[in-house]
Amino acid sequence: MKLTPEQIQGVLELEPRAQVNRLQGDRPYIRVGYWNRQRDLESLNAGLAKLGLKAEEMDDYDEDTGWLYWYVL
């Protein structure tokens, strides 16, 4: 799935501090509260639904930094 410019802009309006990565890749993702879980997935998806998107929360453990959270779109 490749994000359209409108979807990218919509995500940035929804989450101004979000980092949107792999915009034109098969699995674009966003980072919101990357170092700690600062976002309720349900409310994030409520906003993303207006853009035709849905996020899945992913977590990753790094020995140096601890848990990292990001969201596959």
Side-chain angles (χ1 to χ4, degrees):
M1 173 183 90
K2 295 182 179 183
L3 296 180
T4 66
E6 292 79 15
Q7 287 172 317
I8 295 165
Q9 184 60 40
V11 169
L12 295 177
E13 288 174 6
L14 178 66
E15 293 290 343
R17 295 183 300 157
Q19 209 179 358
V20 184
N21 299 306
R22 297 185 192 154
L23 305 178
Q24 299 303 314
D26 291 335
R27 289 180 57 100
Y29 66 94
I30 61 174
R31 291 178 176 168
V32 181
Y34 187 57
W35 300 108
N36 53 13
R37 194 181 322 194
Q38 295 179 342
R39 195 62 159 103
D40 172 41
L41 184 59
E42 199 171 297
S43 62
L44 176 61
N45 275 326
L48 289 173
K50 299 171 189 171
L51 305 169
L53 299 171
K54 182 178 179 182
E56 286 182 44
E57 184 177 76
M58 308 300 278
D59 55 33
D60 185 19
Y61 184 77
D62 181 86
E63 288 185 17
D64 295 327
T65 57
W67 287 102
L68 306 175
Y69 299 92
W70 47 287
Y71 304 87
V72 175
L73 297 174

